[in-house]
Amino acid sequence: MAAKRKRAALAAAKAKRARSAPSAGEAAPEGDPGERSTPPQEYSIPPPVSQGKWKNKERVLIFSSRGINFRTRHLMQDLRTLMPHSKADTKMDRKDQLFVINEVCEMKNCNKCIFFEAKKKQDLYMWLSNTPQGPSAKFLVQNVHTLAELKMTGNCLRGSRPLLSFDPIFDREPHYALLKELFIQIFGTPQYHPKSQPFVDHVFTFTVTDERIWFRNYQIIEEDASLVEIGPRFVLNLIKIFQGSFGGPTLYENPHYQSPNMHRRLLRLSVAAKFREKQQVKEVQKIKKKGTKVLVEEDPTEVVFETPAEEKPVEIQLVKPESKPIVKDKKKLRKIQRKKQKKLFRTEG
């Protein structure tokens, strides 16, 4: 009560001063002739940052299912940082149906949703939906790189509004035109949003290459208007476009899409085919080794230039040869030989 009384007294005093002070058009009160009327001081107040009114009240709910890995969690956090008009929520249970997300968005007062669905702890799917009427699109997310992982040199102010750049093919094909409108409404920050900054310093690019949509985020440098990548980056492989939100009739189905399960199955089959081919080659080599060799007939002309060797007479020895004494000492052997020679001389003489 004392504080209120003080404020009321101060307000009354200010009102009295305003009444007693002369206006700019009135003359100064009579007094000394040297005194002149001084003009009142003017104070200029800078205008507010957001001069307009927030009319496009787009709010995006970004959350995921249970079972995601650390890279998906960081990707979600990066998108929430880049999109000031986004909201977060707790992870959804796997057993819940997808149409429950519409009720979650209604409770969070959001009309757009980015939902990350993890399967088998290795496959990541992204849902982009306009809740609760639709349409919605389902993508397979590949080649995810986050802000912390890439260590890019680019940088932008938190909450600044991005430019959206699209490939020319988004205006040719009808399903890409629908996705373009969905991307504009989800990734475009509304003008005069309370959490956004009133200038543009980065650009989101959506490029179609190899039947996939490549997302990149670049900083716009003011000096020469060059681009430096900030991150994150990921690739969206379109699966289906539904008429409703998280379900309903199928508006478009990508004929070039191949599920991760089928891709892994084809890889296993290719490895098995290579192994079977090696085994067959080994069996063929074994059969060749075991097979009988084909004998080549003798050529009669091969013996023309051969000269027969001289035949030596065969001598038959009728007398048993004398056994040689085994003597280890060479000197004793020589003595024995000399004795034998002497005996032979005696007999001949």
Side-chain angles (χ1 to χ4, degrees), residues 53-311:
K53 188 178 180 182
W54 179 30
K55 296 179 181 179
N56 181 22
K57 297 191 176 182
E58 296 283 352
R59 300 181 184 88
V60 183
L61 181 64
I62 302 177
F63 72 119
S64 69
S65 64
R66 297 193 180 276
I68 61 171
N69 54 10
F70 70 97
R71 185 174 279 109
T72 307
R73 188 170 61 253
H74 285 280
L75 176 63
M76 273 198 312
Q77 189 61 37
D78 293 343
L79 290 178
R80 290 169 185 165
T81 306
L82 293 172
M83 300 165 64
H85 60 294
S86 64
K87 290 187 178 182
D89 195 20
T90 56
K91 296 179 182 178
M92 195 179 74
D93 195 2
R94 295 180 184 177
K95 297 179 181 179
D96 295 339
Q97 298 296 327
L98 290 177
F99 61 82
V100 180
I101 301 175
N102 296 325
E103 300 177 3
V104 178
C105 292
E106 186 178 356
M107 288 187 293
K108 287 285 184 178
N109 197 17
C110 296
N111 50 5
K112 299 291 185 296
C113 181
I114 299 178
F115 177 68
F116 291 94
E117 185 181 7
K119 290 185 178 179
K120 294 188 176 181
K121 295 185 179 180
Q122 55 184 345
D123 302 330
L124 178 64
Y125 298 91
M126 178 193 285
W127 285 84
L128 300 179
S129 176
N130 178 25
T131 58
Q133 292 87 10
S136 59
K138 185 180 181 181
F139 301 91
L140 174 67
V141 186
Q142 299 172 329
N143 301 334
V144 177
H145 298 281
T146 59
L147 279 170
E149 181 184 354
L150 289 175
K151 297 181 181 177
M152 295 293 184
T153 57
N155 194 8
C156 65
L157 190 66
R158 186 188 182 107
S160 60
R161 300 179 65 224
L163 289 175
L164 299 181
S165 174
F166 292 93
D167 196 273
I169 198 173
F170 278 94
D171 298 327
R172 300 173 196 162
E173 302 292 336
H175 60 281
Y176 281 132
L178 178 61
L179 291 177
K180 178 181 178 181
E181 185 64 29
L182 198 60
F183 288 148
I184 290 173
Q185 295 182 14
I186 291 177
F187 290 96
T189 303
Q191 194 176 10
Y192 306 124
H193 192 277
K195 294 183 180 180
S196 66
Q197 300 293 337
F199 53 86
V200 175
D201 62 350
H202 65 288
V203 55
F204 291 160
T205 60
F206 298 89
T207 310
V208 178
T209 306
D210 194 19
E211 304 296 335
R212 291 169 175 82
I213 300 172
W214 300 64
F215 175 85
R216 295 291 185 271
N217 180 23
Y218 296 99
Q219 176 195 359
I220 304 173
I221 300 177
E222 296 180 1
E223 287 78 9
D224 52 354
S226 61
L227 299 178
V228 181
E229 189 171 358
I230 304 171
R233 59 164 67 169
F234 53 87
V235 180
L236 300 177
N237 191 359
L238 178 63
I239 303 174
K240 284 183 181 181
I241 300 176
F242 300 95
Q243 184 177 354
S245 178
F246 297 98
T250 303
L251 298 178
Y252 177 78
E253 185 174 358
N254 188 8
H256 306 284
Y257 171 72
Q258 187 182 67
S259 65
N261 293 332
M262 181 61 67
H263 180 68
R264 288 190 287 267
R265 181 174 178 271
L266 292 176
L267 288 178
R268 289 195 299 269
L269 289 176
S270 64
V271 172
K274 288 181 181 179
F275 179 75
R276 284 197 299 270
E277 187 177 355
K278 289 182 180 179
Q279 293 297 112
Q280 290 175 0
V281 170
K282 288 182 180 180
E283 290 177 0
V284 170
Q285 290 176 353
K286 287 181 181 179
I287 293 171
K288 285 183 178 179
K289 288 180 181 179
K290 289 181 180 179
T292 55
K293 297 181 179 180
V294 180
L295 297 176
V296 183
E297 296 180 358
E298 294 182 358
D299 189 5
T301 58
E302 288 183 356
V303 200
V304 174
F305 298 101
E306 289 183 0
T307 54
E310 295 180 357
E311 295 182 357

Side-chain angles (χ1 to χ4, degrees), residues 315-328:
E315 294 181 358
I316 300 172
Q317 190 175 0
L318 300 176
V319 183
K320 181 180 177 181
E322 295 180 358
S323 60
K324 295 180 180 180
I326 300 171
V327 181
K328 293 182 181 180

Side-chain angles (χ1 to χ4, degrees), residues 320-344:
K320 181 180 177 181
E322 295 180 358
S323 60
K324 295 180 180 180
I326 300 171
V327 181
K328 293 182 181 180
D329 194 359
K330 292 182 179 180
K331 291 181 179 180
K332 289 183 180 180
L333 179 63
R334 288 173 185 172
K335 288 180 182 180
I336 293 170
Q337 288 178 354
R338 286 172 186 172
K339 287 180 181 180
K340 287 182 179 180
Q341 287 177 359
K342 285 179 182 180
K343 286 182 181 180
L344 287 173

